[in-house]
Amino acid sequence: MKNNYSQNIFNGFAAALVEGETFAIFPHKDPDGDALGASIGLAKALDSMGKKVKVIVDADIDGSISIKDDLRFIDPDSRYLTVDGSSVDESTFAVMLDCGEISRIAGREAIFEKCCKSFCVDHHGTSTEMADYNVIMPEAAATCELIWYLFKTLCNHGLVITRDMGESVYVGILTDTGGFRYSNTSKETHLVAAEIFDLGIDHYNISRQVFESVPISRMRLKFAAMDVTEFYEDNRLAITYVNRQMLKNTMADIKDTDGIVEELRNISSVEVACLCKEQDDGKIKISMRSKNHVDVSKIGLKFSGGGHRRAAGCTLDMSVSEAVTIMKNELTNALNGETE
């Protein structure tokens, strides 16, 4: 991915974007650091250009904003984050970030569809060009990497990039590359990070917030999931699950499953790791990670999901035990084929 090419693809996108005055930004359900970093970063940029902008996310059972506690520092006072889409009307521009399917914002799709123009920025190869204006680049390490190029293009329209904007997008780059450890990390990723560093960001504080602020409930849940992990195929395949009883026992919630599947992949013998998570509605959300050989996005697509070669997921409407059995069979076959 060439730096100048990455900026050039945003020329028409940015020109259309700045025509709007009011914006609603939509990260995917259960937003991670990349989705939130991109959303809040873009909100800050548009706000600085005199636009009205809100980031619309899902609500918890009590009606509060549903995001992971350790990511609240991205917008600590909820200046941009909201669960209220009542202000969205036919003059609003919609921006979907870090996903490219309407199903990924289930529960908010009616708000998205009310908007007069739609935009999408994403880096998942399984995403579709569902908006009026799309930039989908699977070669990018993170959607935040693409938002950085959008920032630079918006400079032609009056944007002045600030440290605050840079810190938001740095969160997404840091989390989606696993601290620059994952195979999606490229030379371009490091160059973007270097440019963000030039803004004077507090790298250590961001890293501490992201990697060293784990709630006790999440740690307890991780131990419980590790305790029921099973290994197959000479320990190359690791599968575990989290059910609602485990969440109750550890006083955790579904957001606390973050990081469990990556921990399994960290085991030296493991090529593919899988986590089956029971949702409030009884459906099972599947998270898969691989190291070198297995393209888990193909399995995600088979079950109407998607993602990347090394990180993908889907949702199954069945019991936890049934989901574990199906994923064991699918991933065993993928491992034995070891083709992409």
Side-chain angles (χ1 to χ4, degrees), residues 145-174:
E145 187 173 315
L146 296 174
I147 293 297
W148 179 253
Y149 292 124
L150 176 58
F151 283 177
K152 296 178 76 172
T153 308
L154 286 172
C155 288
N156 298 326
H157 300 273
L159 176 66
V160 177
I161 305 174
T162 65
R163 165 180 165 169
D164 204 26
M165 297 171 201
E167 289 190 333
S168 294
V169 298
Y170 187 74
V171 171
I173 294 171
L174 193 66

Side-chain angles (χ1 to χ4, degrees), residues 199-306:
L199 296 171
I201 67 168
D202 189 341
H203 157 73
Y204 174 67
N205 180 59
I206 296 171
S207 297
R208 182 176 57 81
Q209 294 276 8
V210 169
F211 297 120
E212 299 174 10
S213 299
V214 179
I216 292 175
S217 59
R218 185 178 300 175
M219 193 63 71
R220 287 173 176 154
L221 185 62
K222 181 174 78 170
F223 292 156
M226 293 301 174
D227 196 45
V228 296
T229 300
E230 296 288 347
F231 295 90
Y232 306 96
E233 299 297 308
D234 295 325
N235 297 326
R236 293 185 299 153
L237 171 60
I239 301 180
T240 192
Y241 64 86
V242 167
N243 59 31
R244 283 176 285 185
Q245 187 61 49
M246 293 163 70
L247 294 174
K248 182 178 179 180
N249 292 345
T250 59
M251 294 181 289
D253 63 35
I254 201 67
K255 294 189 290 295
D256 287 316
T257 59
D258 190 49
I260 291 175
V261 70
E262 287 83 3
E263 287 279 355
L264 292 178
R265 182 176 58 178
N266 287 345
I267 298 170
S268 60
S269 64
V270 171
E271 162 62 23
V272 186
C274 178
L275 169 63
C276 303
K277 301 172 283 188
E278 185 180 21
Q279 311 295 296
D280 289 338
D281 61 5
K283 294 181 180 179
I284 312 301
K285 186 174 181 180
I286 307 296
S287 294
M288 297 172 285
R289 301 291 185 269
S290 70
K291 280 180 181 169
N292 299 306
H293 305 296
V294 176
D295 183 350
V296 290
S297 70
K298 291 182 178 179
I299 299 172
L301 280 172
K302 183 175 180 178
F303 296 99
S304 301

Side-chain angles (χ1 to χ4, degrees), residues 31-38 68 71 74 144 168-169 171-173 175-176:
D32 56 9
D34 192 26
L36 280 177
K68 299 178 180 71
L71 291 175
I74 302 176
C144 277
S168 294
V169 298
V171 171
I173 294 171
T175 54
D176 253 29

